[in-house]
Amino acid sequence: MSKIYFQGTFGAYSHLAALSVDPDAEIIPCKTFDECFNRASLEPECKIIIPESNRITGNIGIEYLIFKHRLNIYKEHFQKIEHNLLGQPGAKLNDIQEVYSHAQGLSQCSKFIKENNIVEHIRADTAGSAEMISKTKDVKQAAIASSLSAEIYGLDIVKKNIENESGNLTRFLVMGKNISQPEFGEKKYITSFLFKLKSKPAALYQSLGGFAINGVNLTKLQSYPEKNTFDSFFFLCDLDGHIEDPKVQKSLEELGLHCEDFHVLGVFEADKLRDKKK
């Protein structure tokens, strides 16, 4: 049986994403993202599933671990995020005075929280908040979490789908130590890589010219400072296409002329929801 590690507590959205990716896997929680990446680095046969960005609130903030560990990306998965207000069995909305959740969960439900004059409290994760209030037995306390969390921790769903915007998605990456890439075919692919440019004027502008000339679409370009400096930056990049596509190869060859460091993080099929995400 394969293993998938995730950050958080059972019932978290990462748990839901892992079940969607491989329902037959042994799914194991970790306290931190660092622990997830360390597990994958030490156990080549296991995988981790990590939230990378959210459609509404943007990047999750795990880029430094991607740069540090340079694990292979096998898959992207867009998980639909449906936030629910969870309370004690029998609790009603007018009973709720305080709500607990991850900062992202609170931010994504800010309108509902404000409209109902509920005091918010930030916790490490959504499912952990549900677990906590299940133990307090306080009808005034609630959590914002998944319906799976309500099921696991014996809570009622006081109010469904309280997020600010419908159609909320989080992009997850499935990663591991072993390198694996799909064969080049007719499907839609993403190639993910990181690079560090040589220190010279207009280096970024010059390095991206090959993509324009060869008609390759960049879907992500994010900078991150090198350790202990703000003068040197790595860039994390996704492009539409397979690394064996001749136009992608030509673009990356042109980029390589301007780089001090270049590393392919993965080649994988584009999630079917990618077009709907636009």
Side-chain angles (χ1 to χ4, degrees):
M1 179 184 291
S2 60
K3 290 182 180 179
I4 300 179
Y5 290 98
F6 73 94
Q7 185 277 326
T9 306
F10 286 118
Y13 293 103
S14 294
H15 183 193
L16 279 172
L19 288 171
S20 298
V21 168
D22 189 352
D24 297 322
E26 180 183 5
I27 301 171
I28 305 169
C30 296
K31 289 184 178 180
T32 64
F33 290 126
D34 293 74
E35 183 182 349
C36 285
F37 277 83
N38 287 332
R39 290 273 192 176
S41 297
L42 295 172
E43 300 178 36
E45 299 307 315
C46 84
K47 294 181 175 66
I48 60 175
I49 187 162
I50 301 293
E52 180 265 343
S53 60
N54 178 266
R55 184 178 186 181
I56 295 173
T57 54
N59 292 323
I60 304 297
I62 48 86
E63 293 79 16
Y64 73 103
L65 290 168
I66 293 177
F67 289 126
K68 178 181 177 181
H69 292 274
R70 302 193 180 198
L71 298 177
N72 187 79
I73 301 173
Y74 305 116
K75 183 182 180 67
E76 67 173 2
H77 170 72
F78 289 110
Q79 179 67 41
K80 189 174 182 180
I81 304 299
E82 295 178 320
H83 289 306
N84 305 282
L85 186 70
L86 309 185
Q88 304 299 331
K92 305 299 181 184
L93 180 56
N94 58 11
D95 295 325
I96 307 302
Q97 298 178 16
E98 298 178 289
V99 65
Y100 297 80
S101 193
H102 186 276
Q104 291 261 343
L106 295 170
S107 175
Q108 292 165 20
C109 302
S110 59
K111 292 180 182 178
F112 176 86
I113 294 169
K114 185 177 180 180
E115 287 170 359
N116 290 279
N117 298 313
I118 301 173
V119 178
E120 59 188 70
H121 301 280
I122 296 174
R123 290 294 182 267
D125 60 81
T126 56
S129 300
E131 182 182 24
M132 183 198 73
I133 71 155
S134 72
K135 295 175 181 178
T136 67
K137 306 297 182 183
D138 188 342
V139 73
K140 298 189 298 294
Q141 295 181 343
I144 292 174
S146 67
S147 57
L148 179 60
S149 291
E151 180 182 335
I152 290 173
Y153 301 112
L155 299 171
D156 278 0
I157 299 177
V158 179
K159 185 73 174 178
K160 291 183 178 181
N161 302 120
I162 61 171
E163 58 271 11
N164 296 345
E165 299 181 39
S166 61
N168 189 8
L169 297 171
T170 291
R171 183 192 188 218
F172 285 84
L173 300 177
V174 179
M175 292 181 279
K177 191 172 180 63
N178 293 332
I179 297 174
S180 176
Q181 297 177 355
E183 293 185 4
F184 181 33
E186 298 299 320
K187 297 179 179 179
K188 292 184 178 180
Y189 302 96
I190 303 293
T191 295
S192 183
F193 56 95
L194 61 85
F195 61 94
K196 177 186 173 184
L197 294 169
K198 298 174 182 177
S199 181
K200 60 179 184 179
L204 181 60
Y205 173 79
Q206 294 173 5
S207 69
L208 299 180
F211 298 105
I213 292 171
N214 291 287
V216 174
N217 183 41
L218 298 180
T219 58
K220 182 183 182 74
L221 180 62
Q222 182 180 354
S223 63
Y224 193 84
E226 191 175 10
K227 188 176 180 180
N228 298 326
T229 179
F230 284 99
D231 297 324
S232 178
F233 288 82
F234 280 96
F235 291 89
L236 182 61
C237 189
D238 289 346
L239 61 80
D240 284 337
H242 196 289
I243 197 167
E244 294 180 12
D245 186 328
K247 64 181 182 181
V248 173
Q249 289 182 338
K250 290 178 181 178
S251 301
L252 295 178
E253 287 172 4
E254 174 67 23
L255 173 66
L257 298 174
H258 304 277
C259 291
E260 285 186 6
D261 187 6
F262 176 86
H263 182 83
V264 176
L265 294 166
V267 181
F268 46 91
E269 290 184 25
D271 190 283
K272 293 178 181 179
L273 286 177
R274 179 171 281 271
D275 291 337
K276 296 180 181 180
K277 180 172 176 281
K278 295 176 181 178

